[in-house]
Amino acid sequence: MDEQIRKNALRAAARVALGITALGATTGVTAACGGGLAPVRTDDAYLIDEPPHEDGSDILAAADAACDAPADGGGADCEKVLADAAADPAFAELLEWRFEKPVSMPPISDELRACCDADLHDPAFRFGGRVLCCNVAGDGITSNGGAAGCTPWGPAVPPAMFAPLEVA
Amino acid sequence: MNVLDLRDAARAHRPTLTVLPHLVESAKATWTGRMINEHGSAQVFEALAVQLAAAGLEASRVDEVRGFADEERRHGVLCGAVVEALGGSALAEVPSPEPVPMHADARSPLEAALRNVLSICCLSETVAVALIGAEREEMPEGELRTLLTTIWADEVGHARFGWKLLDDVAPALDLATRDRLGDYLVVALEHLVRHELVHLPLASAPPPEGAVLGLCSGRDARSLFFDTVWSVIVPGLEARGIPARRAWAAARARLTSEAAAA
């Protein structure tokens, strides 16, 4: 997906949820869509925040490079690079920034390994997509097996409540 | 199983489509899925309208939500029209509708209604705004894009209804109520992830020209989905005093632990 399209889509959702109109956004939302909210911000920096430490991106890039070389033992290199990276505070912060999950590697978590092994080979998903592809929940749920494409439209029936879990 | 037959209504709205024979079957399956989802969503809004009325909300809001149900049925017809235009049939077996929870365990009718408003409008429909918005932007000008724009405009309205309602009622909610809504959000967010990921299969990886027929990359859509939750929905709810950040962390923890155990 083109990055600008992605931003525009997020802006459209943000306009709805946050009442924000980004300067220059041409999402096509009209008054008929319930538009008309006054713009309260003119930038979209809140949407596409930079990671807290750019060095973390560099580490990820190094891991990517290692993972992209399966022919010369890339799997092992990948493991080593990621193990080294896991000990780096910048990497941990980077993961926290987008993953919001504890980083307790090494050893490398299965999810990160799986991400390394599969998802990172897609050059279109170097960074932003990477962390999302690492979402173990996403890959732990089987597809619907029937529909061939994306059919997320229409709200599902809301769930009933259960007793909330204690979260550490 | 029930039968959803929208053939007659759909045929009146068939858009002219670009002919891409190698993608026809995928497109039929995709738009049939959308037809079923959209049409089935009408009952969700109908139940919400009843619940909002019981909670004492203004008749204008209740009527607006009833209108959303009509819009969802219309979307079903429009999606069926695409199926028909592709040479398929706007006819499908559909499961019996699930009951919409009325949340009798909530402390008040308003709190019960807000649970559903959060799930339906602030989560599901806000995600739909982003996903359909992206698909619309990727699609070239033409009748299908016009059809998609119609649907998207309605989805914007459905999402905005929930955020506006929250704007109006959240300031009067006490801390305990907000906290309990945060507890519900754990459930709702977990449910949202499950629902969306099932409907955004990684196996959906159409070629670039697939955008012409509304075929999207499951991987791209998943990425956008998570960004919408994190970049838009969570801050939007936090801004209204609902502890969404905490809820999202808890929902992720539940999903992650489940996946790890699998």
Side-chain angles (χ1 to χ4, degrees):
Chain A
M1 182 184 295
D2 178 84
E3 186 59 24
Q4 191 57 47
I5 288 176
R6 179 189 179 83
K7 285 184 181 180
N8 286 349
L10 284 169
R11 279 196 197 100
R15 286 183 65 181
V16 172
L18 304 173
I20 289 169
T21 301
L23 184 67
T26 54
T27 59
V29 178
T30 66
C33 308
L37 290 176
V40 294
R41 281 184 66 160
T42 56
D43 67 84
D44 60 354
Y46 75 100
L47 285 178
I48 313 295
D49 290 325
E50 291 301 318
H53 291 283
E54 290 187 2
D55 288 346
S57 312
D58 296 340
I59 293 168
L60 287 179
D64 288 352
C67 295
D68 275 340
D72 58 351
D77 289 347
C78 166
E79 189 162 344
K80 181 178 185 312
V81 170
L82 289 177
D84 292 345
D88 188 295
F91 182 84
E93 281 202 47
L94 186 70
L95 282 185
E96 278 190 321
W97 171 67
R98 288 300 286 269
F99 267 123
E100 262 213 316
K101 62 186 178 186
V103 179
S104 55
M105 303 166 285
I108 299 170
S109 69
D110 289 341
E111 63 197 271
L112 194 56
R113 179 64 180 274
C115 176
C116 172
D117 287 342
D119 295 332
L120 293 182
H121 293 289
D122 180 354
F125 276 83
R126 273 296 169 202
F127 181 72
R130 172 208 181 99
V131 292
L132 297 169
C133 294
C134 285
N135 184 305
V136 293
D139 294 332
I141 296 172
T142 57
S143 76
N144 57 357
C150 308
T151 60
W153 302 5
V157 172
M161 184 58 168
F162 62 70
L165 293 179
E166 290 297 325
V167 179
Chain B
M1 298 290 273
N2 301 318
V3 174
L4 175 63
D5 185 355
L6 299 178
R7 289 174 294 181
D8 286 345
R11 283 171 187 161
H13 298 280
R14 278 178 295 194
T16 302
L17 302 177
T18 303
V19 178
L20 295 171
H22 60 298
L23 296 178
V24 163
E25 292 308 314
S26 291
K28 278 185 201 170
T30 295
W31 286 93
T32 300
R34 291 171 176 178
M35 176 185 79
I36 294 168
N37 286 357
E38 291 290 279
H39 198 273
S41 294
Q43 65 111 5
V44 174
F45 282 114
E46 282 171 349
L48 180 62
V50 170
Q51 192 182 29
L52 291 174
L57 270 81
E58 306 94 311
S60 59
R61 290 196 205 256
V62 174
D63 289 344
E64 190 175 0
V65 173
R66 286 204 182 96
F68 296 164
D70 292 337
E71 289 172 355
E72 294 291 359
R73 277 186 283 269
R74 185 161 56 95
H75 297 173
V77 170
L78 292 175
C79 294
V82 181
V83 176
E84 292 280 339
L86 289 162
S89 182
L91 178 70
E93 281 194 352
V94 295
S96 299
E98 296 175 55
V100 176
M102 291 292 110
H103 302 295
D105 58 310
R107 300 288 176 89
S108 71
L110 177 61
E111 184 177 330
L114 287 178
R115 287 186 186 177
N116 284 343
V117 168
L118 286 172
S119 176
I120 296 166
C121 302
C122 301
L123 302 189
S124 291
E125 295 292 54
T126 303
V127 167
V129 168
L131 292 176
I132 300 174
E135 181 175 317
R136 176 182 168 276
E137 289 234 356
E138 288 187 314
M139 188 178 285
E141 289 293 346
E143 291 186 18
L144 186 55
R145 181 169 162 141
T146 300
L147 181 151
L148 195 59
T149 300
T150 301
I151 293 174
W152 188 56
D154 290 343
E155 305 293 4
V156 168
H158 302 172
R160 178 158 288 161
F161 173 88
W163 292 106
K164 181 68 169 59
L165 180 61
L166 268 190
D167 278 339
D168 293 344
V169 304
L173 298 176
D174 60 29
L175 198 58
T177 303
R178 293 174 194 218
D179 200 50
R180 289 193 300 273
L181 288 173
D183 289 341
Y184 178 70
L185 261 186
V186 178
V187 186
L189 285 166
E190 180 183 349
H191 181 264
L192 178 75
V193 171
R194 292 180 189 283
H195 176 76
E196 296 293 337
L197 296 186
V198 165
H199 290 87
L200 299 172
L202 288 173
S204 177
E209 67 271 22
V212 172
L213 294 177
L215 299 178
C216 76
S217 156
R219 187 181 296 275
D220 280 2
R222 284 187 176 196
S223 175
L224 179 56
F225 160 61
F226 282 110
D227 269 2
T228 304
V229 171
W230 178 242
S231 302
V232 175
I233 292 173
V234 169
L237 292 172
E238 287 281 347
R240 290 162 175 88
I242 310 292
R245 190 180 175 90
R246 179 195 80 191
W248 180 231
R252 288 189 63 108
R254 288 177 55 84
L255 290 157
T256 302
S257 63
E258 179 186 280

